[in-house]
Amino acid sequence: MVAPREISDVDELRTLAHPLRQRILRHLGQHGPATASILGKALGESSGATSYHLRMLAKHAFVEEVPERAQGRERWWRAPVQDLRSPRSPQDPEMRALVEQLNQLKLAADQELFAGFLERRSELGEWADALPYSRGSVRVTLAELHEFFDEYMALLKRYQRPADETPADARQVAVRFFAFPVPGTTPGDPS
């Protein structure tokens, strides 16, 4: 099990909060290792741009080289399995703005991913209706919310496994956790 890594450095957050870098990380996470050229073609960018952004991501260990796949000057990259977490309560205004920007990028990507699922749902056979969905709210203290999140992450990690340990009939499934205080409520508010 991978230990959580809280991203509390402004430079690391700035690196992650870049739109193309988020797209690179998503592509590597969904499709596996790639070169800058492969990423450039897949993302509609130049290989020079993807190469630069891969180096920036590697500087903070968000991606790593795959030396066994390298041939000559060709460099292969992968996104290592990580449990990256934003700071729980960033006090610095720049850090807070970067966390918000990163969250907005991730939410937009999730909406795009879900729209893609809906568009291609008819192609998924028995998986077409594999859409567990739940909405709810809880009344918790800030400490309890942190505990709730940690328990959610432990459950998620229990089901994560490397591709070579995945059963043949398994599919990659997007799972998201989203929690926020309800606007207009205050501590102790019974409504």
Side-chain angles (χ1 to χ4, degrees), residues 4-163:
R5 174 181 166 194
E6 184 174 294
I7 308 302
S8 56
D9 178 80
V10 171
D11 287 335
E12 288 183 333
L13 274 172
R14 195 175 294 117
T15 298
L16 278 178
H18 189 281
L20 179 54
R21 293 175 190 157
Q22 281 297 302
R23 291 174 55 216
I24 289 170
L25 289 171
R26 277 194 308 280
H27 190 277
L28 292 174
Q30 290 175 356
H31 303 285
T35 64
S37 294
I38 291 169
L39 288 166
K41 287 177 188 165
L43 303 175
E45 300 286 340
S46 72
S47 61
T50 54
S51 178
Y52 169 79
H53 290 292
L54 283 164
R55 288 192 309 275
M56 294 299 99
L57 289 164
K59 178 180 173 184
H60 298 287
F62 298 128
V63 298
E64 61 189 16
E65 285 193 65
V66 185
E68 61 271 18
R69 292 190 74 174
Q71 294 179 354
R73 294 182 51 198
E74 182 180 71
R75 296 168 80 179
W76 283 80
W77 300 90
R78 69 176 155 229
V81 175
Q82 299 187 61
D83 179 359
L84 302 177
R85 301 186 186 186
S86 300
R88 288 196 165 166
S89 53
Q91 301 303 315
D92 176 79
E94 181 181 12
M95 186 172 283
R96 180 166 285 171
L98 287 167
V99 168
E100 186 173 310
Q101 180 178 342
L102 182 57
N103 288 340
Q104 291 292 335
L105 286 171
K106 289 180 176 183
L107 183 59
D110 288 343
Q111 289 172 324
E112 183 180 315
L113 184 62
F114 186 68
F117 160 75
L118 293 176
E119 283 178 19
R120 301 189 65 190
R121 192 174 190 176
S122 63
E123 303 168 18
L124 298 177
E126 67 182 347
W127 284 88
D129 293 322
L131 186 62
Y133 184 76
S134 171
R135 293 182 71 215
S137 64
V138 293
R139 284 184 170 68
V140 294
T141 65
L142 188 55
E144 289 171 329
L145 179 58
H146 292 192
E147 183 181 341
F148 188 98
F149 179 72
D150 291 340
E151 289 180 27
Y152 162 79
M153 289 302 296
L155 177 64
L156 184 66
K157 287 178 183 182
R158 193 169 92 201
Y159 287 92
Q160 290 176 328
R161 55 187 156 206

Side-chain angles (χ1 to χ4, degrees), residues 139 186-191:
R139 284 184 170 68
T186 58
D189 184 359
S191 60

